[in-house]
Amino acid sequence: MKKKGIFKKILIGIFAAALCIAAVTAIVNTALYNANLKRIEEYSAVVNPDAVIPALDENGEYEFVTDRDLKILTMTDIHIGGGWMSFKKDRMAINTVAAMVTAEKPDLVVITGDIAYPVPFQSGTFNNKTSATLAIRLFEKLGVPWTVTFGNHDTESYSYFSREKIGDLYSDPALEKCLFSKGPDSVDGVGNYVIHVKNSTGIPVQELVFIDSHSYTDGDIFGIFWKYDNVHQNQVDWYESKIKDAQKLNPDVKSLIFMHIPLVEHRDAYNEYLANGNKDTENVKWISGIIGEKDPYVYCGMHEDNLFEKIVELGSTKAVFVGHDHLNNMVLNYKGVDLTYNYSVDYLAYIGISEKGDQRGCTVVTVNPDGTYEQVHENYYQDKYQPLYPKENVTFVNK
């Protein structure tokens, strides 16, 4: 009986200690979260009197109406942890994003996934809403229209808030600048939607297509085996219907896709290029950038899907922009389609990545009045990006 009593006291002691640690962590996380909110208020709104202002069309979808170039700034994997362990690196990420948006003065900012990184042993929290809220406050403060596609880390299986709940956060009507839509309930995922670019006669010249590339699959609920999902068939069908709707109004309409996890074709194209001795092939043309990840180089979905085949068949989409692999920023043209890794922001997720600079930056996309487009990768460590707080020292490997 005496041993039982001692064991019970030990259990109560452990439970009490755990509660104390949880309470202290919550208090510290809240205090640091408020400190970062205060920091965000120090940034100024971007001044751009020539900006194209989006509006909702008759179908409740956003559109940009212009006869001039439309400038899109896209970046990926911001990885705001939102906890006590990531506080300093969160500030670095916020500083970097604000500097690039302020300097580029885009009409639209697109983040291709992983705004949040609620991995507790690196961030100090399970709360993914905190990270999302910090990003929302930052972009709303900067005052530039912005939107996002979900990545695998935005809503981990152990995170406090589901994809649906975070989708509600981004689609809150109270937000003045966020163009995110959760998309149709009949299509898998959260965040399958289109933003239209039209000329002054109302003809669509460019469709910006956002697709949820999901998260993990085949029982890998925590993502520790890198078993990533693919785009689902009903999403491919939805994509086809949106492109065909636009082609009815303009048979030559162009489109761009933004998503997080690379297509299998990103890997196929790079492997074909490698197998040919790092030289172009009939199908593959190397455009620019680097592959910084180690073999297998491209961490795409582990199964096949037919999104790329549908892209080629329809002939509208000229580029697919992804994130996910933080050290990759290559652009390969594969069968006439530019497969692009966005520059990333991440200071947190990869061990030691805060000290590396080759991959950090943004991608500037210019949509021309005829719907054609250009893209340029811009590294953060150049003079035109002047952050409110000093840039950190980094190492460049590929200069």
Side-chain angles (χ1 to χ4, degrees), residues 224-248:
I224 58 177
F225 301 112
W226 301 331
K227 293 181 178 180
Y228 299 112
D229 205 351
N230 298 73
V231 173
H232 298 178
Q233 184 57 45
N234 63 12
Q235 292 175 285
V236 177
D237 296 339
W238 167 84
Y239 160 77
E240 180 178 13
S241 70
K242 300 305 287 186
I243 296 301
K244 285 185 173 179
D245 285 346
Q247 287 176 331
K248 290 174 186 174

mmCIF file of all heavy atoms in Angstrom, residues 224-248:
data_model
loop_
_atom_site.group_PDB
_atom_site.id
_atom_site.type_symbol
_atom_site.label_atom_id
_atom_site.label_comp_id
_atom_site.label_asym_id
_atom_site.label_seq_id
_atom_site.Cartn_x
_atom_site.Cartn_y
_atom_site.Cartn_z
ATOM 1 N N ILE A 224 7.075 12.069 -41.427
ATOM 2 C CA ILE A 224 8.474 11.740 -41.117
ATOM 3 C C ILE A 224 9.123 10.862 -42.193
ATOM 4 O O ILE A 224 10.345 10.707 -42.218
ATOM 5 C CB ILE A 224 8.603 11.061 -39.734
ATOM 6 C CG1 ILE A 224 7.765 9.791 -39.674
ATOM 7 C CG2 ILE A 224 8.194 12.021 -38.636
ATOM 8 C CD1 ILE A 224 7.900 9.036 -38.352
ATOM 9 N N PHE A 225 8.298 10.296 -43.082
ATOM 10 C CA PHE A 225 8.842 9.455 -44.157
ATOM 11 C C PHE A 225 8.783 10.154 -45.522
ATOM 12 O O PHE A 225 9.048 9.540 -46.538
ATOM 13 C CB PHE A 225 8.094 8.123 -44.215
ATOM 14 C CG PHE A 225 8.180 7.337 -42.940
ATOM 15 C CD1 PHE A 225 7.054 7.146 -42.145
ATOM 16 C CD2 PHE A 225 9.388 6.809 -42.511
ATOM 17 C CE1 PHE A 225 7.123 6.424 -40.962
ATOM 18 C CE2 PHE A 225 9.473 6.085 -41.322
ATOM 19 C CZ PHE A 225 8.338 5.898 -40.546
ATOM 20 N N TRP A 226 8.400 11.454 -45.528
ATOM 21 C CA TRP A 226 8.359 12.253 -46.754
ATOM 22 C C TRP A 226 7.449 11.633 -47.818
ATOM 23 O O TRP A 226 7.746 11.695 -49.014
ATOM 24 C CB TRP A 226 9.764 12.462 -47.316
ATOM 25 C CG TRP A 226 10.698 13.149 -46.369
ATOM 26 C CD1 TRP A 226 10.365 14.049 -45.403
ATOM 27 C CD2 TRP A 226 12.120 13.007 -46.292
ATOM 28 N NE1 TRP A 226 11.479 14.485 -44.730
ATOM 29 C CE2 TRP A 226 12.580 13.853 -45.258
ATOM 30 C CE3 TRP A 226 13.052 12.257 -47.004
ATOM 31 C CZ2 TRP A 226 13.922 13.964 -44.914
ATOM 32 C CZ3 TRP A 226 14.382 12.365 -46.667
ATOM 33 C CH2 TRP A 226 14.813 13.207 -45.640
ATOM 34 N N LYS A 227 6.332 11.055 -47.363
ATOM 35 C CA LYS A 227 5.352 10.513 -48.297
ATOM 36 C C LYS A 227 4.309 11.593 -48.592
ATOM 37 O O LYS A 227 3.322 11.742 -47.861
ATOM 38 C CB LYS A 227 4.685 9.258 -47.727
ATOM 39 C CG LYS A 227 5.638 8.084 -47.581
ATOM 40 C CD LYS A 227 4.911 6.858 -47.038
ATOM 41 C CE LYS A 227 5.847 5.661 -46.923
ATOM 42 N NZ LYS A 227 5.148 4.451 -46.404
ATOM 43 N N TYR A 228 4.548 12.348 -49.660
ATOM 44 C CA TYR A 228 3.703 13.488 -49.970
ATOM 45 C C TYR A 228 2.598 13.109 -50.942
ATOM 46 O O TYR A 228 2.765 12.249 -51.806
ATOM 47 C CB TYR A 228 4.547 14.627 -50.541
ATOM 48 C CG TYR A 228 5.594 15.113 -49.566
ATOM 49 C CD1 TYR A 228 6.948 14.909 -49.812
ATOM 50 C CD2 TYR A 228 5.223 15.726 -48.375
ATOM 51 C CE1 TYR A 228 7.911 15.340 -48.908
ATOM 52 C CE2 TYR A 228 6.178 16.152 -47.466
ATOM 53 C CZ TYR A 228 7.520 15.950 -47.734
ATOM 54 O OH TYR A 228 8.472 16.369 -46.835
ATOM 55 N N ASP A 229 1.478 13.800 -50.786
ATOM 56 C CA ASP A 229 0.293 13.534 -51.590
ATOM 57 C C ASP A 229 0.424 14.179 -52.972
ATOM 58 O O ASP A 229 1.327 14.975 -53.225
ATOM 59 C CB ASP A 229 -0.937 14.081 -50.863
ATOM 60 C CG ASP A 229 -2.217 13.369 -51.262
ATOM 61 O OD1 ASP A 229 -2.195 12.570 -52.211
ATOM 62 O OD2 ASP A 229 -3.258 13.632 -50.618
ATOM 63 N N ASN A 230 -0.500 13.823 -53.830
ATOM 64 C CA ASN A 230 -0.597 14.396 -55.171
ATOM 65 C C ASN A 230 -1.895 15.168 -55.304
ATOM 66 O O ASN A 230 -2.805 15.048 -54.468
ATOM 67 C CB ASN A 230 -0.567 13.297 -56.240
ATOM 68 C CG ASN A 230 0.716 12.514 -56.236
ATOM 69 O OD1 ASN A 230 0.963 11.695 -55.341
ATOM 70 N ND2 ASN A 230 1.545 12.738 -57.240
ATOM 71 N N VAL A 231 -2.008 15.931 -56.374
ATOM 72 C CA VAL A 231 -3.281 16.549 -56.727
ATOM 73 C C VAL A 231 -4.280 15.443 -57.054
ATOM 74 O O VAL A 231 -3.943 14.468 -57.720
ATOM 75 C CB VAL A 231 -3.094 17.493 -57.935
ATOM 76 C CG1 VAL A 231 -4.431 18.020 -58.433
ATOM 77 C CG2 VAL A 231 -2.160 18.644 -57.567
ATOM 78 N N HIS A 232 -5.514 15.577 -56.565
ATOM 79 C CA HIS A 232 -6.524 14.544 -56.747
ATOM 80 C C HIS A 232 -7.278 14.751 -58.066
ATOM 81 O O HIS A 232 -7.292 15.848 -58.630
ATOM 82 C CB HIS A 232 -7.510 14.559 -55.580
ATOM 83 C CG HIS A 232 -6.861 14.266 -54.262
ATOM 84 N ND1 HIS A 232 -7.558 14.258 -53.061
ATOM 85 C CD2 HIS A 232 -5.558 13.994 -53.934
ATOM 86 C CE1 HIS A 232 -6.723 13.974 -52.069
ATOM 87 N NE2 HIS A 232 -5.518 13.811 -52.573
ATOM 88 N N GLN A 233 -7.915 13.682 -58.522
ATOM 89 C CA GLN A 233 -8.552 13.720 -59.840
ATOM 90 C C GLN A 233 -9.644 14.778 -59.916
ATOM 91 O O GLN A 233 -9.796 15.453 -60.947
ATOM 92 C CB GLN A 233 -9.126 12.346 -60.207
ATOM 93 C CG GLN A 233 -9.713 12.274 -61.607
ATOM 94 C CD GLN A 233 -8.715 12.660 -62.701
ATOM 95 O OE1 GLN A 233 -7.566 12.214 -62.684
ATOM 96 N NE2 GLN A 233 -9.137 13.511 -63.635
ATOM 97 N N ASN A 234 -10.448 14.932 -58.842
ATOM 98 C CA ASN A 234 -11.511 15.931 -58.962
ATOM 99 C C ASN A 234 -10.959 17.360 -59.004
ATOM 100 O O ASN A 234 -11.622 18.274 -59.491
ATOM 101 C CB ASN A 234 -12.586 15.768 -57.884
ATOM 102 C CG ASN A 234 -12.080 15.957 -56.476
ATOM 103 O OD1 ASN A 234 -10.969 16.432 -56.241
ATOM 104 N ND2 ASN A 234 -12.901 15.576 -55.508
ATOM 105 N N GLN A 235 -9.721 17.550 -58.537
ATOM 106 C CA GLN A 235 -9.068 18.851 -58.697
ATOM 107 C C GLN A 235 -8.634 19.059 -60.148
ATOM 108 O O GLN A 235 -8.733 20.173 -60.672
ATOM 109 C CB GLN A 235 -7.843 18.946 -57.783
ATOM 110 C CG GLN A 235 -8.174 18.988 -56.292
ATOM 111 C CD GLN A 235 -6.911 18.967 -55.454
ATOM 112 O OE1 GLN A 235 -6.273 17.919 -55.317
ATOM 113 N NE2 GLN A 235 -6.545 20.107 -54.887
ATOM 114 N N VAL A 236 -8.153 17.998 -60.780
ATOM 115 C CA VAL A 236 -7.783 18.081 -62.193
ATOM 116 C C VAL A 236 -9.023 18.399 -63.026
ATOM 117 O O VAL A 236 -8.983 19.247 -63.938
ATOM 118 C CB VAL A 236 -7.128 16.768 -62.678
ATOM 119 C CG1 VAL A 236 -6.816 16.837 -64.163
ATOM 120 C CG2 VAL A 236 -5.866 16.468 -61.881
ATOM 121 N N ASP A 237 -10.136 17.739 -62.695
ATOM 122 C CA ASP A 237 -11.390 17.996 -63.414
ATOM 123 C C ASP A 237 -11.839 19.443 -63.212
ATOM 124 O O ASP A 237 -12.307 20.098 -64.162
ATOM 125 C CB ASP A 237 -12.481 17.036 -62.936
ATOM 126 C CG ASP A 237 -12.161 15.575 -63.242
ATOM 127 O OD1 ASP A 237 -11.327 15.323 -64.146
ATOM 128 O OD2 ASP A 237 -12.734 14.694 -62.570
ATOM 129 N N TRP A 238 -11.707 19.928 -61.981
ATOM 130 C CA TRP A 238 -12.067 21.322 -61.681
ATOM 131 C C TRP A 238 -11.178 22.287 -62.471
ATOM 132 O O TRP A 238 -11.686 23.247 -63.072
ATOM 133 C CB TRP A 238 -11.919 21.573 -60.182
ATOM 134 C CG TRP A 238 -11.963 23.017 -59.802
ATOM 135 C CD1 TRP A 238 -13.080 23.782 -59.590
ATOM 136 C CD2 TRP A 238 -10.843 23.886 -59.606
ATOM 137 N NE1 TRP A 238 -12.722 25.077 -59.281
ATOM 138 C CE2 TRP A 238 -11.355 25.173 -59.278
ATOM 139 C CE3 TRP A 238 -9.461 23.712 -59.673
ATOM 140 C CZ2 TRP A 238 -10.521 26.264 -59.023
ATOM 141 C CZ3 TRP A 238 -8.627 24.796 -59.409
ATOM 142 C CH2 TRP A 238 -9.162 26.050 -59.092
ATOM 143 N N TYR A 239 -9.865 22.015 -62.493
ATOM 144 C CA TYR A 239 -8.930 22.840 -63.265
ATOM 145 C C TYR A 239 -9.341 22.880 -64.733
ATOM 146 O O TYR A 239 -9.389 23.953 -65.359
ATOM 147 C CB TYR A 239 -7.511 22.288 -63.114
ATOM 148 C CG TYR A 239 -6.544 22.730 -64.186
ATOM 149 C CD1 TYR A 239 -5.989 24.004 -64.173
ATOM 150 C CD2 TYR A 239 -6.196 21.858 -65.229
ATOM 151 C CE1 TYR A 239 -5.106 24.412 -65.183
ATOM 152 C CE2 TYR A 239 -5.315 22.254 -66.224
ATOM 153 C CZ TYR A 239 -4.775 23.532 -66.201
ATOM 154 O OH TYR A 239 -3.907 23.919 -67.192
ATOM 155 N N GLU A 240 -9.652 21.720 -65.288
ATOM 156 C CA GLU A 240 -10.052 21.651 -66.695
ATOM 157 C C GLU A 240 -11.292 22.506 -66.943
ATOM 158 O O GLU A 240 -11.365 23.247 -67.949
ATOM 159 C CB GLU A 240 -10.318 20.197 -67.090
ATOM 160 C CG GLU A 240 -10.747 20.031 -68.548
ATOM 161 C CD GLU A 240 -10.966 18.579 -68.947
ATOM 162 O OE1 GLU A 240 -11.034 17.717 -68.043
ATOM 163 O OE2 GLU A 240 -11.069 18.314 -70.169
ATOM 164 N N SER A 241 -12.266 22.419 -66.039
ATOM 165 C CA SER A 241 -13.507 23.176 -66.238
ATOM 166 C C SER A 241 -13.258 24.677 -66.175
ATOM 167 O O SER A 241 -13.853 25.444 -66.954
ATOM 168 C CB SER A 241 -14.559 22.767 -65.200
ATOM 169 O OG SER A 241 -14.196 23.222 -63.901
ATOM 170 N N LYS A 242 -12.378 25.128 -65.284
ATOM 171 C CA LYS A 242 -12.083 26.564 -65.166
ATOM 172 C C LYS A 242 -11.358 27.082 -66.409
ATOM 173 O O LYS A 242 -11.646 28.177 -66.895
ATOM 174 C CB LYS A 242 -11.259 26.848 -63.914
ATOM 175 C CG LYS A 242 -11.903 26.467 -62.602
ATOM 176 C CD LYS A 242 -13.271 27.087 -62.401
ATOM 177 C CE LYS A 242 -13.232 28.557 -62.113
ATOM 178 N NZ LYS A 242 -14.568 29.108 -61.773
ATOM 179 N N ILE A 243 -10.422 26.297 -66.918
ATOM 180 C CA ILE A 243 -9.692 26.717 -68.121
ATOM 181 C C ILE A 243 -10.637 26.739 -69.319
ATOM 182 O O ILE A 243 -10.627 27.691 -70.127
ATOM 183 C CB ILE A 243 -8.482 25.799 -68.386
ATOM 184 C CG1 ILE A 243 -7.449 25.920 -67.247
ATOM 185 C CG2 ILE A 243 -7.843 26.142 -69.732
ATOM 186 C CD1 ILE A 243 -6.901 27.308 -67.033
ATOM 187 N N LYS A 244 -11.466 25.738 -69.458
ATOM 188 C CA LYS A 244 -12.391 25.690 -70.595
ATOM 189 C C LYS A 244 -13.410 26.825 -70.527
ATOM 190 O O LYS A 244 -13.797 27.384 -71.574
ATOM 191 C CB LYS A 244 -13.081 24.328 -70.663
ATOM 192 C CG LYS A 244 -12.164 23.221 -71.188
ATOM 193 C CD LYS A 244 -12.909 21.911 -71.371
ATOM 194 C CE LYS A 244 -12.005 20.874 -72.049
ATOM 195 N NZ LYS A 244 -12.700 19.575 -72.215
ATOM 196 N N ASP A 245 -13.843 27.192 -69.319
ATOM 197 C CA ASP A 245 -14.746 28.340 -69.179
ATOM 198 C C ASP A 245 -14.079 29.611 -69.697
ATOM 199 O O ASP A 245 -14.705 30.415 -70.404
ATOM 200 C CB ASP A 245 -15.136 28.534 -67.713
ATOM 201 C CG ASP A 245 -16.146 27.506 -67.231
ATOM 202 O OD1 ASP A 245 -16.743 26.808 -68.083
ATOM 203 O OD2 ASP A 245 -16.326 27.399 -66.004
ATOM 204 N N ALA A 246 -12.802 29.800 -69.344
ATOM 205 C CA ALA A 246 -12.073 30.989 -69.801
ATOM 206 C C ALA A 246 -11.826 30.941 -71.302
ATOM 207 O O ALA A 246 -11.892 31.973 -71.992
ATOM 208 C CB ALA A 246 -10.751 31.113 -69.045
ATOM 209 N N GLN A 247 -11.563 29.733 -71.831
ATOM 210 C CA GLN A 247 -11.300 29.602 -73.276
ATOM 211 C C GLN A 247 -12.538 29.890 -74.122
ATOM 212 O O GLN A 247 -12.413 30.259 -75.289
ATOM 213 C CB GLN A 247 -10.753 28.203 -73.567
ATOM 214 C CG GLN A 247 -9.312 28.014 -73.097
ATOM 215 C CD GLN A 247 -8.806 26.598 -73.296
ATOM 216 O OE1 GLN A 247 -9.566 25.629 -73.267
ATOM 217 N NE2 GLN A 247 -7.486 26.462 -73.478
ATOM 218 N N LYS A 248 -13.714 29.752 -73.536
ATOM 219 C CA LYS A 248 -14.932 30.118 -74.265
ATOM 220 C C LYS A 248 -14.966 31.614 -74.546
ATOM 221 O O LYS A 248 -15.515 32.068 -75.549
ATOM 222 C CB LYS A 248 -16.171 29.712 -73.462
ATOM 223 C CG LYS A 248 -16.396 28.210 -73.366
ATOM 224 C CD LYS A 248 -17.553 27.893 -72.435
ATOM 225 C CE LYS A 248 -17.696 26.387 -72.229
ATOM 226 N NZ LYS A 248 -18.738 26.076 -71.205
#
